[in-house]
Amino acid sequence: MLQSDPMPPPYRWVILAVCMLSFIQVHIHRLAFSPLIPTFVANLGITYAAAGAIQTAYFWTYALAQVPIGVLTDRWGARRVMLVFMTALSVGALLFAASQTYSASLASRALVGLGAAAVWVPGMRLITEWFPREERGRVTGLFSAGGGVGGTLALLLVPWLAERWGWRLAYGVTVVPVLIALALILLLLRPRESAASAAAPPGAGALGRVLATPAMWRLNLTMMFAYGGYFSLLTFLPAFFMRSLGFSPTESGLVTSLITAGTMVSWPLAGYASDRLGRRKAVYLASQSANVLVCVAFALFVPGVPVTGAAVAAAVTGLVAGGMIAPYVMVIELFPHELAGTAMGVINASCFAGAMVLPVVLGRVVDLTGSFPAAFLVAGGVQGLALISGCFLRESAPARITPSVVESTS
């Protein structure tokens, strides 16, 4: 979106709706395996660390693909990139549903992660083109809320369907909404013509320009810790509820889904609050402080409580997590349009570097100690590092940012 446009086009909401629907698919497949961890541990005779590796195989390819996807998005356009990679997601999901061995499960989850990798970055590029600065916080929050919808559906429906149909068919039907999203991307997504014509080609030095910006490295470190801790907690909560609290698979999925359901509210609200304030950092720090406390609560206070107590803790967790989207808005305000995809790819790679490693670490803690609460304390420590790192973030000025400003911003 050009800063001089007085009247943003109404079609921007169609763009956002298609991006949200696509992001729902990303989170369905991100979290659909979590309720299945006890089944895999029992059926394949694997450890919790090995089950954590199946979960993180998604993040291996997702994280590694982010920078290339950012560069491709800036060069080829969001629509083309999303179509190619989401097709790979649908293939990977079918292969995972048909997998018979540990190695096949690992490989197919990695393909799912690769396919899911090209929604958030192209979507954020489209947001920079179609929405003015004063709307970007709330729009980023709404886009993120699609992830909350997807995660909630995965945690509710996959265990419920698995109890009735078996896990293979339950997972296999998740391909259907992916195909619907692909059709809508093909028919409805397009770049903003004014932004496309005004932006200079990113050139071969785009990645170097992004990496040469000191503020970007502080954002990378902050997001690596924040999202690593968040996804590690989500990975093992269903198993914790089943093994330690005696919940059924459906109950554990329902309670865990209250976290992702809460983010459907907290992410848009956090974005709206940051738009009203005109700054993003304060919103992030408040949310991150709460994230530390909820990890400690799951470790020290939730064990032994009834379903209702665990449900309250999960709901609160989702309602306080929204500020984690604020650094994403800081990134797209730090760079001009032609670098938006590359910059978003870099920051997202950092996020999922944490999500790629931490679930395996937490699974190892459970294997060694037999204690899920010990693992949640580790997650709380990681969230504490994200809070400390966030204190050193510096926001860009609210005025329009040009390439020359980017190169000198610290």
Side-chain angles (χ1 to χ4, degrees):
M1 169 60 67
L2 296 176
Q3 295 288 332
S4 58
D5 277 354
M7 293 293 293
Y11 196 80
R12 71 192 190 279
W13 299 110
V14 174
I15 297 294
L16 178 61
V18 175
C19 289
M20 286 180 66
L21 178 62
S22 302
F23 201 47
I24 288 171
Q25 313 317 311
V26 170
H27 275 254
I28 286 175
H29 291 276
R30 183 173 295 170
L31 293 178
F33 176 68
S34 292
L36 303 176
I37 285 178
T39 300
F40 273 67
V41 169
N43 291 354
L44 295 180
I46 60 177
T47 65
Y48 279 101
I54 295 177
Q55 172 71 356
T56 58
Y58 171 105
F59 295 116
W60 299 344
T61 48
Y62 192 105
L64 290 173
Q66 288 306 298
V67 174
I69 284 170
V71 175
L72 288 175
T73 298
D74 286 335
R75 292 186 178 183
W76 295 353
R79 177 174 172 271
R80 187 184 304 177
V81 171
M82 291 174 73
L83 285 171
V84 170
F85 280 83
M86 286 194 70
T87 299
L89 189 163
S90 63
V91 173
L94 290 174
L95 290 175
F96 181 76
S99 63
Q100 300 287 340
T101 64
Y102 177 75
S103 58
S105 300
L106 207 65
S108 54
R109 278 287 291 174
L111 182 57
V112 170
L114 178 64
V119 173
W120 177 260
V121 170
M124 290 298 289
R125 168 64 192 244
L126 288 167
I127 285 174
T128 69
E129 294 175 0
W130 284 90
F131 289 86
R133 186 187 193 279
E134 60 271 17
E135 290 182 347
R136 288 180 188 161
R138 71 199 74 177
V139 170
T140 301
L142 288 169
F143 186 18
S144 300
V149 174
T152 302
L153 291 174
L155 292 167
L156 283 175
L157 294 182
V158 170
W160 184 79
L161 292 174
E163 286 187 304
R164 287 154 179 80
W165 298 348
W167 76 266
R168 295 182 189 280
L169 184 56
Y171 199 97
V173 298
T174 62
V175 175
V176 174
V178 177
L179 298 177
I180 294 172
L182 274 168
L184 293 176
I185 291 168
L186 179 65
L187 295 172
L188 299 177
L189 274 197
R190 65 173 187 256
R192 179 81 192 281
E193 291 182 4
S194 58
S197 61
L207 180 59
R209 290 168 63 188
V210 171
L211 295 178
T213 305
M216 192 68 184
W217 289 99
R218 290 190 286 270
L219 284 159
N220 286 338
L221 185 64
T222 299
M223 297 294 268
M224 180 180 70
F225 288 137
Y227 277 82
Y230 174 74
F231 284 120
S232 295
L233 182 69
L234 281 181
T235 295
F236 286 102
L237 273 180
F240 164 65
F241 290 142
M242 282 185 270
R243 298 304 187 197
S244 299
L245 303 188
F247 294 1
S248 70
T250 300
E251 287 175 333
S252 65
L254 175 61
V255 173
T256 307
S257 74
L258 293 174
I259 297 178
T260 54
T263 62
M264 293 189 300
V265 177
S266 65
W267 279 331
L269 282 180
Y272 177 76
S274 71
D275 282 342
R276 291 298 300 270
L277 291 172
R279 313 301 291 181
R280 319 296 182 185
K281 179 178 174 179
V283 174
Y284 169 77
L285 292 179
S287 175
Q288 194 57 35
S289 299
N291 286 339
V292 175
L293 295 177
V294 296
C295 288
V296 174
F298 275 110
L300 301 182
F301 303 112
V302 174
V305 303
V307 173
T308 52
V312 169
V316 170
T317 299
L319 291 173
V320 301
M324 289 197 301
I325 62 102
Y328 279 117
V329 187
M330 294 169 70
V331 170
I332 63 174
E333 292 174 346
L334 188 62
F335 295 96
H337 293 142
E338 66 268 21
L339 297 180
T342 301
M344 194 55 56
V346 170
I347 192 70
N348 226 27
S350 296
C351 289
F352 292 98
M356 188 167 55
V357 173
L358 263 294
V360 177
V361 173
L362 263 65
R364 185 60 176 162
V365 171
V366 174
D367 289 333
L368 291 174
T369 66
S371 170
F372 286 101
F376 298 153
L377 286 176
V378 174
V382 174
Q383 294 282 27
L385 292 175
L387 175 61
I388 294 169
S389 178
C391 293
F392 296 94
L393 295 180
R394 293 175 61 183
E395 298 186 76
S396 61
R400 185 194 314 171
I401 299 171
T402 64
S404 60
V405 173
V406 170
E407 292 172 356
S408 61
T409 299
S410 62

